[in-house]
Amino acid sequence: SQKALEKSVKTLAQWLGGLQFLVFYDPRKIEEKNIQYYEYAYDRLNEQLKKRQYRYVEKNVFDNFTQTGEIEKLKKDSSEYSYMQKLGASIKAEFTIFIKKIEIRNLSANGLASGYKVTIYAVAYDNCTAEGFASIVMEGNSSIPDKETGIHYAIDNAVLKGSDALFYQFNKYMGDWINSGAVFEIRFYGISYEELRPLKNKFKNDPLFGQQLSINDEDNYSKWNLTFNSKPD
């Protein structure tokens, strides 16, 4: 049942202090004349997050951040994903919904019908693990011949129909996290391996961690990867 899974995800979000989404598009790669359509799709996706009671980065917070010098430093990163991940970390968002591309077709230009068709390509990323977990194509039509009204209506239609698939993937991703246990990375600085040995033994002997413990040690530095084999509640 997806309803039960969504309830578990919301419980997890509360347990972690609130998971937060960042809806985002990269203005560096969009023609100025089309920015308005990305802004419109951005607003519609935030509306869907609000409808589902997920936390998201408010537009005024994002706009204020983009006016700072910090955003200019991030823009120098040529890697699209690295840029997004750093942006999400700076704004403290665990997940990013990236509006990768919006295609707009004038149906009457091809003699098919009047109106517009919009296709939105979106990708969802986990900023904590640098992992993409969903790639969604959202499509919507409009029979309205007026260009601005028709495109906006088609975007409404695309986001409304496509967001269910997007959030299904999110709930599935988080459900796997809940049901399979969470991988933790713990780092120690300025502590010798000998001093950490008693703690290491406690983790290895604790059934909740299933004796899954990977350790990488260097001088006065230790990184542990371990899996917690129980549900958050």
Side-chain angles (χ1 to χ4, degrees), residues 208-225:
L208 285 178
F209 290 92
Q211 298 184 352
Q212 297 180 55
L213 176 60
S214 171
I215 298 177
N216 177 23
D217 283 298
E218 297 176 17
D219 290 341
N220 293 323
Y221 168 74
S222 188
K223 183 175 76 172
W224 299 5
N225 290 302

Side-chain angles (χ1 to χ4, degrees), residues 69-88:
E70 186 70 21
I71 193 77
E72 294 305 318
K73 293 178 186 176
L74 296 181
K75 283 181 179 179
K76 293 177 182 177
D77 195 324
S78 59
S79 164
E80 180 180 273
Y81 181 65
S82 179
Y83 173 50
M84 282 192 298
Q85 189 183 18
K86 289 176 182 175
L87 183 63

